[in-house]
Amino acid sequence: MKLLRVGAKGAEKPAILDAEGVARDLSGVVTDIGGETLTPEGLARIRAVDIGVLPKLDGNQRIGPCVANVGKFICVGLNYADHAAETGAAIPSEPILFMKATSAIIGPNDDVVIPKNSIKPDWEVELGVVIGRQARYVEEKDALEHVAGYCVVNDLSERHFQTERGGQWVKGKSADTFGPIGPWLVTRDEVADPQNLGMWLEVDGHRYQDGSTRTMIFGVAHLVSYISHFMSLQPGDIITTGTPPGVGMGIKPEPVWLKAGNVMRLGVEGLGEQRQNVKAWQG
């Protein structure tokens, strides 16, 4: 299933795409796409519905974040061998974890705003993993059973804040609008192998990132298991799993940073595409 949320900010309706790609209103079936809806029981309720009888939604409406009320937004750093190489970093021996503020979350096509005092804003196309069943100390062989589905994430970063202002990475990752997710949450049964998905990102039509989840250092199952040994994972939590090479900070001979007026397009195979206009901070 391809689940999404359609409508104005704060007034999104839960929806599902039919076989023709038309969004159908799920608000008579579930309250929203998040939390209990993403459990095996919640997804079973949606699967039991005849999609063809659900009301059609206006295809011109805004698409909101594909998951509502995200509890934790967990990020994995330097998780692609080729990306680690372009940054000059060593291959991690264990996953590098950090958090992204949930207030950064926006819809897949909403405007991205460069934060005040930003010097080095950057892009990162990533595979997002949405949890559907509580995970605590799970074994890797069982980890994917705790996944509801997958989505596209643009893990936007302010590199100056992230690496030159001291402390942890979270403050370079958490500006408002720095977490576009969606357009869809694609349920796990429709993704045959999360470790074999092409992914790409363009700025103003120039393709900077063109990679694959095949080059992940730590795969999805390992990450879910690993993280569950440090914190419980709850339905609706998101893990964004790292980015392939081609980020702005890695461009040679000089880095390329986002600026107002840029247009980003990005996607992950089978999970849809995002498009964001980049705007300047208006204080």
Side-chain angles (χ1 to χ4, degrees):
M1 298 184 291
K2 292 182 174 66
L3 306 176
L4 66 162
R5 303 171 65 248
V6 177
K9 184 177 180 180
E12 296 94 343
K13 290 184 176 182
I16 186 170
L17 290 189
D18 66 17
E20 283 71 48
V22 175
R24 301 278 187 154
D25 190 352
L26 277 174
S27 55
V29 182
V30 297
T31 56
D32 212 336
I33 306 299
E36 185 65 25
T37 298
L38 299 177
T39 65
E41 296 77 15
L43 293 177
R45 283 196 298 274
I46 297 174
R47 287 193 178 95
V49 173
D50 180 357
I51 296 175
V53 304
L54 297 175
K56 294 182 179 180
L57 292 171
D58 180 358
N60 295 317
Q61 289 190 85
R62 167 185 176 267
I63 299 176
C66 60
V67 181
N69 302 315
V70 175
K72 293 191 287 294
F73 201 168
I74 306 164
C75 305
V76 184
L78 300 175
N79 193 35
Y80 282 69
D82 35 12
H83 171 57
E86 76 172 344
T87 65
I91 301 297
S93 58
E94 293 190 39
I96 296 171
L97 304 182
F98 58 96
M99 307 293 278
K100 195 176 185 85
T102 56
S103 54
I105 292 173
I106 58 171
N109 305 315
D110 291 344
D111 292 342
V112 164
V113 178
I114 296 174
K116 184 178 180 180
N117 300 321
S118 172
I119 298 173
K120 299 177 179 180
D122 204 350
W123 58 80
E124 295 187 17
V125 61
E126 304 201 2
L127 172 67
V129 179
V130 183
I131 299 299
R133 176 184 289 168
Q134 181 176 268
R136 184 182 290 122
Y137 302 115
V138 299
E139 295 184 36
E140 187 169 336
K141 66 181 180 61
D142 302 319
L144 294 186
E145 296 176 11
H146 298 264
V147 173
Y150 304 93
C151 66
V152 182
V153 175
N154 190 351
D155 178 23
L156 287 139
S157 310
E158 211 303 333
R159 304 299 188 187
H160 176 63
F161 297 172
Q162 178 186 355
T163 64
E164 299 172 40
R165 295 287 300 273
Q168 300 180 342
W169 289 1
V170 62
K171 64 189 175 189
K173 297 285 188 169
S174 295
D176 291 352
T177 76
F178 268 28
I181 61 172
W184 318 312
L185 185 161
V186 180
T187 51
R188 177 165 50 94
D189 57 295
E190 292 197 6
V191 179
D193 183 2
Q195 304 309 146
N196 190 27
L197 301 175
M199 53 204 310
W200 56 273
L201 182 144
E202 297 175 352
V203 180
D204 295 342
H206 180 85
R207 184 158 294 198
Y208 285 98
Q209 293 189 276
D210 197 354
S212 170
T213 59
R214 290 191 302 272
T215 66
M216 275 189 190
I217 299 166
F218 305 105
V220 171
H222 182 87
L223 291 173
V224 172
S225 172
Y226 181 86
I227 295 168
S228 79
H229 284 73
F230 298 94
M231 67 192 83
S232 66
L233 296 170
Q234 306 296 331
D237 287 349
I238 296 177
I239 303 168
T240 190
T241 55
T243 197
V247 298
M249 70 179 295
I251 304 301
K252 303 293 189 297
E254 294 291 334
V256 176
W257 308 117
L258 288 169
K259 60 184 184 296
N262 287 153
V263 177
M264 288 180 285
R265 291 182 60 246
L266 59 147
V268 177
E269 183 179 350
L271 305 184
E273 297 184 10
Q274 300 184 356
R275 182 186 185 279
Q276 294 113 26
N277 294 317
V278 180
K279 304 288 188 179
W281 164 261
Q282 299 291 327

